[in-house]
């Protein structure tokens, strides 16, 4: 349904943009736009047609032509090709999906910022290759993760602002019906949908979709690192933290599984390969690809949905995280005993926490 | 629903197997088995619990305990852990999904065999690096694809017979409740479900799932090669074949898109990365993995469903394939003119076709 | 050797930066820097030690301590950990490798710009799903690829400027030896090496390396699309272009293989999975990862080297590309005959070419 | 050099096979075979030619023609195409590389078998999702890994025996020069090289190479799971095992890093994506692929070499593994205290160990 409505948003905006540059009448455009409502369409029937034609657009456009008054019929999908509708729809779907995702991630960042602040000077064993190495602070560990999340969010937002663009080129990218007014039409469409305006149609140059996927993959990777730290630190053998709402076990009632961390890791584990699929789909042939473009649809949808899962579960893994101060201190004492010192020296840990929090505050503004 | 019923099939079989080795009463086992029907369970509620606990099994088992008479309650899920239920269920789901898939692939193979037979001696331009190279026969090209499909099917069937096994180990793989009768209990469960009997529980040794995925990936790759040849040979510039039911275009009525070939390629393009996800999920920790195992569920489901898509669309791409004999001959004539000969020498092409058809017939038996 | 010298550049810069913040004497720093020359080190011996210790840094530092005068010994590798040296070295190696790469890509872009200009209004069949669709111009096709390359280069350059940073945190990221002067020391090191200054150490937050890999993957994808168009358009059946220096065949002297396009595709085909490996390596544990970090070294090296291969071969595929004007026109005539028109309408093709060339010129400045 | 010699082994065997079926004289075949020695060839020159022609075979064959007496010249590379030489050479290289690899893996299996036997009844905490769950035995854990390695080795050996085949089809797979004697010639070549005989040439049906890669990926995954268990169990916080030769640290002399486990994980982490690259390379076009086939060479080489690395380091991780019995027992006591019991019940752990060792012994025979 989200995809269908996005396709219809494209068709409505295309009609209005066509009116703006004088290719159709305003009244026609209004007629078209008025019929672009998902509830007037039969999803099952569109699905069947999509399997036969290798694109759902044919059925959508046919139904839309039936819905509008006869005099507006030629204003429907004017000069556009299936890919124009689908690429723009995918872009709209992605932009809409990013909002709840970014809000979950923002909650993750706030939780990390709080932990960094609260445990700025709390000594913790630093573990390298899982071996006790030297003392750091729990705040410094949280601060490093906070910086990473903030930077990944910044990269994703940059892609959202600059790279999510409308697609409009017609069958072979020339907008043949528009004479030389093609670029103006594209600009109008971009304005209508508040998306970026591409230099030229990008039917077989897929950098935009790939950059979006890669930025999501990057974010998932940083969030997964957090989830993994939570899983490790809440292991029985370390026991320094535990999640707010641990999961149970079908056979062992005493267990307190770090369920949200595990689910965040499970979702995140699936993302890198999907990004590879998007990258591998890039060499698209001539004016429209026979297979690689069509492989993008489900892949991008999966990336968005898994990234949403990673963010949701990661938030549940860090919000309300319980820190076992005693255990943390006991582990530090054990390390100090091994290294034969009784001085805890955490160097610039606090200074790094402050830098991370400063940077976080500056970004938030 | 398929997953839920498969989990319940596990629970029913476990109860019966437990009765067979004397751990529960026969009557108890019958009570449990009688309640293992998917329609008695609320999928939504199970889904919510799955998100909280990182496993759907807890909710399924709780509901099952409610459904059975009090005296059978302790026979439910006896000694098993969530992963026992989920791994066995995944195995059952996979085995069931393979049947329609293999039947589609069998139709692909028959179509190729027919083409190989019919065009055994029909000269066609052999194209290497997309350049006209030397003359082969269209039958030889089809025969090579036929052998590849047959061999990929054989590899997949071998995995199905030998590697799809029950999982039963209890919380940490020891079947603690069964004393030393564990292996006998596993054997009974395997017999009940007609699955292979593993040497030991395989909670964190995931070769079985990976071999299944890889065999599906292999098959998809061979089918995709066929789809790609169809797409290329049906390009306007080559024009030697066309699919039985070409797709249309939302803007160009004269086009005859090789839609099934394109959709087969689109599905197939997504599979290799999923196989990589399964392989990357292999290093699972100690007695149960915190994230990698859980990442398998959706991935394996996607591989099965995409493989089904590849097979379905590939069948539509080759069944009823129309061959343009004139065009094929004209292209051969053009190549002969370039190489300055008028003798068509297709060497052992026919002999290879015969070998392929022989091997196909032998396998079919 | 490139890696070794980069590690030594790190050690020299670290010594100078340490002097700048007063942790060591200037004379000591000069002694250290003077010994940081690759030819004073035995690569084989370092390799053997690397296999035993899982890091080459131990052997490098030991040798460096032997080389400097006794009074400078404590200024060697002061407060640093292996990962500081290796991450900074990897960053330096990457930055150095980008220069020749970007110069090859720049030649690709110039060749495309020239073709776009020269063939701005030259009608060519537009092919969608490999079917003749409608008429575009060869210039428009080249312009679309040009924009894609320019945008991918811009993304890569942004990563180079903003994300290639020094690494310095000491064993657990606290720079324990530097008191609270850690951030100042990091800033000095960044200044010495002309790399970015990170907010905090990034030992287990790997976004920087991943963004670099992804940007390279993106560029390879756009270049591969060009190579694939060249391979298709130079196929015997289309025959509209041919590469300047085609390859031969070991058995068919008449063939003119589009060898550079093929090799560009071969290199590019290997990159997406490597980017996935980098993404999958992101969830690095606690203060230093046990395996994932070490997996980055070879992967990043391969990405850089394959990207170099893609760019080199792609340049050879497009520079001096020969266009067969007659064949191009004949194919257009054939399409017009099918669609029953004799008017060639290329719509805004020229306008889009102009926009692409404008954007290219603006970027070049 | 290994590749070059393997190519020459192909050329020598092809000459002999051609003589066996009467296509050339015995004396000619002997002349050709006598010149097929790698030291007579200039690797650098072949490399340069390979970059220009997209195949090294042209230069190798040219040099070989120069080396043999004039009367044997027409017996060189008779009827073969570059891909025949390269695919057969790749197969030979792979088969040779498997021998040392399998011998390392065999040592891993022996070490696991010994541990399983020695610790058959030694209680150890079973950890699920890294939480203490219930008691198992260390022997049972080792036995599960042993079974997995044995099964992965069996799968790899099956591929080696049945799927490593000669390639011989000539330019377009028809062996045009051999009349209808093609199949006999292929059989002779297979006999000469002791490789399997394919039903038909497999120039663009790549299942054989993919099955080999997937079987290696499977093995690496099982070995990586072992390495990861070693890394976790030797973590300071668990401390139940330590590797025989731990690595040091450039900054923390007290650390005992599980270096071989870490390096095994690092190598293994890179393999899944390479298997995906092989799978993605499968849809090869018509009679020879323009890019995908060429992408296999480096990928397969990398898979073989990384698998070698995984096996080598994994062996060093498990051979001589030290088990800290006291620590293991103390952790068990801690778990018993939490679950409020003082009875250690390891159920069928011992029975499973016995089954694993039996299966291992049976396979070894």
């Amino acid at each position: 349904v989200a995809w269908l409505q996005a396709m219809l948003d494209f068709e409505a905006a295309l009609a209005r943009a066509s009116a703006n540059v004088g290719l159709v009448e305003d009244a026609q455009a209004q007629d078209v736009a008025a019929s672009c409502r998902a509830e007037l369409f039969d999803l099952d029937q569109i699905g069947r047609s999509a399997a036969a034609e290798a694109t759902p657009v044919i059925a959508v456009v046919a139904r839309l032509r039936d819905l509008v008054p006869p005099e507006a019929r030629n204003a429907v999908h004017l000069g556009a090709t299936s890919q124009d509708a689908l690429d723009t729809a995918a872009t709209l779907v992605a932009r809409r999906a990013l909002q709840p995702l970014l809000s979950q991630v923002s909650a993750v960042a706030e939780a990390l910022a709080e932990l960094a602040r609260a445990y700025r000077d709390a000594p913790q064993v630093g573990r390298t290759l899982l071996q006790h190495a030297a003392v750091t602070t729990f705040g410094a560990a949280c601060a490093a993760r906070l910086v990473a999340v903030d930077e990944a969010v910044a990269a994703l937002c940059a892609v959202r602002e600059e790279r999510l663009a409308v697609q409009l080129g017609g069958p072979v990218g020339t907008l043949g019906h528009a004479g030389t007014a093609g670029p103006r039409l594209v600009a109008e469409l971009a304005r209508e949908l508040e998306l970026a305006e591409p230099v030229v149609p990008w039917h077989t140059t897929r950098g935009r979709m790939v950059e979006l996927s890669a930025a999501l993959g990057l974010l998932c990777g940083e969030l997964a690192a957090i989830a993994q730290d939570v899983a490790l630190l809440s292991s029985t053998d370390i026991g320094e933290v535990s999640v707010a709402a641990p999961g149970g076990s079908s056979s062992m009632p005493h267990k307190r599984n770090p369920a949200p961390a595990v689910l965040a890791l499970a979702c995140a584990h699936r993302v890198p390969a999907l990004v590879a699929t998007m990258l591998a789909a890039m060499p698209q042939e001539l004016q429209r690809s026979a297979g690689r473009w069509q492989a993008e649809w489900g892949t991008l949808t999966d990336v968005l949905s898994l990234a949403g899962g990673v963010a949701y579960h990661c938030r549940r893994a860090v919000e309300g995280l319980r820190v076992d101060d005693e255990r943390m201190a006991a582990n530090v004492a054990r390390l100090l005993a091994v290294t034969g010192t009784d001085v805890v020296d955490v160097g610039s840990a606090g200074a790094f926490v402050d830098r991370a929090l400063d940077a976080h505050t500056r970004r938030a503004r």
Side-chain angles (χ1 to χ4, degrees), chain A:
Chain A
V1 171
W3 272 82
L4 174 59
Q5 187 54 58
M7 272 186 252
L8 294 171
D9 291 346
F10 165 82
E11 299 292 349
L14 174 62
R16 284 192 300 263
S18 301
N20 293 351
V21 301
L23 291 167
V24 305
E25 305 287 316
D26 277 351
Q28 290 177 308
Q30 281 163 28
D31 284 340
V32 173
S35 295
C36 287
R37 288 163 27 222
E39 64 270 28
L40 301 174
F41 291 74
D42 176 351
L43 267 179
D44 286 347
Q45 196 252 314
I46 293 168
R48 277 190 303 277
S49 161
E53 313 284 357
T55 159
V57 176
I58 292 176
V60 170
V61 168
R63 170 73 179 143
L64 187 54
R65 288 218 170 97
D66 283 353
L67 285 172
V68 299
E71 65 273 17
R73 210 153 281 167
N74 72 328
V76 169
H77 197 64
L78 182 66
T81 191
S82 298
Q83 189 169 3
D84 294 334
L86 279 168
D87 277 347
T88 306
T91 302
L92 288 170
V93 166
R95 190 180 57 184
R96 284 163 196 171
L98 289 183
Q99 200 171 325
L101 170 71
L102 285 168
S103 126
Q104 299 284 352
V105 177
S106 171
V108 171
E110 286 320 311
L112 289 171
E114 251 176 73
L115 288 166
R117 212 173 286 122
Y119 295 90
R120 181 187 185 277
D121 304 308
Q124 185 190 26
V125 169
R127 293 169 176 88
T128 60
L129 315 195
L130 302 176
Q131 303 290 306
H132 286 199
V135 181
T136 179
T137 70
F138 183 51
C142 295
R145 298 291 178 211
L146 172 62
V147 169
V149 170
D150 280 346
E151 291 178 352
V153 165
L156 179 57
C157 288
V159 170
R160 182 179 60 172
E161 301 316 316
E162 297 158 31
R163 301 295 285 156
L164 294 188
V166 294
Q167 175 71 282
L168 188 64
V172 293
T174 60
L175 287 176
H177 75 299
T180 55
R184 261 177 58 220
L185 182 60
V186 175
E188 286 296 321
L189 184 68
R191 213 174 46 81
E192 288 283 344
L193 293 170
E194 297 177 39
L195 290 172
E197 180 194 346
V199 179
V200 298
W202 45 283
H203 289 148
T204 51
T205 54
R206 309 304 293 172
R208 295 168 186 278
M209 293 307 192
V210 170
E211 286 185 59
L212 174 61
S213 309
L216 286 164
L218 177 80
L219 178 59
C220 288
E222 300 290 16
L223 294 174
I226 297 167
Q228 182 159 279
D229 279 2
V230 169
L232 281 167
L233 294 178
S234 63
S235 71
T236 312
D237 296 287
I238 298 186
E240 298 182 358
V241 309
S242 61
V243 300
S249 154
S250 73
S251 54
M252 292 161 289
H254 69 275
K255 284 191 63 187
R256 293 172 59 81
N257 287 326
V262 167
L263 290 173
L265 285 168
C267 291
H269 183 77
R270 297 171 59 187
V271 174
L274 299 176
V275 176
T277 297
M278 293 295 291
L279 278 162
M282 286 189 79
Q284 300 198 356
E285 304 95 337
L286 303 169
Q287 276 67 38
R288 181 146 331 120
S289 177
R292 285 197 177 94
W293 170 55
Q294 295 81 356
E296 285 182 5
W297 309 336
T299 309
L300 184 63
T301 306
D302 285 354
V303 171
L304 285 165
S305 127
L306 286 167
V310 174
Y312 170 76
H313 293 301
C314 191
R315 177 185 185 165
R316 290 172 57 232
V318 294
E319 274 193 351
L321 190 78
R322 294 175 205 165
V323 179
D324 187 332
D325 303 293
E326 268 177 60
R327 190 75 179 267
M328 214 173 254
N331 285 335
V332 169
R334 206 178 133 208
L335 169 59
L336 294 177
V338 169
T339 52
T341 172
D342 54 2
V343 184
V344 171
D345 175 7
V346 297
S348 301
F352 284 132
V353 170
D354 296 341
R355 281 172 64 87
L357 290 171
D358 277 2
H360 178 64
T361 311
R362 250 177 292 121
R363 277 184 199 277
R365 261 190 253 128

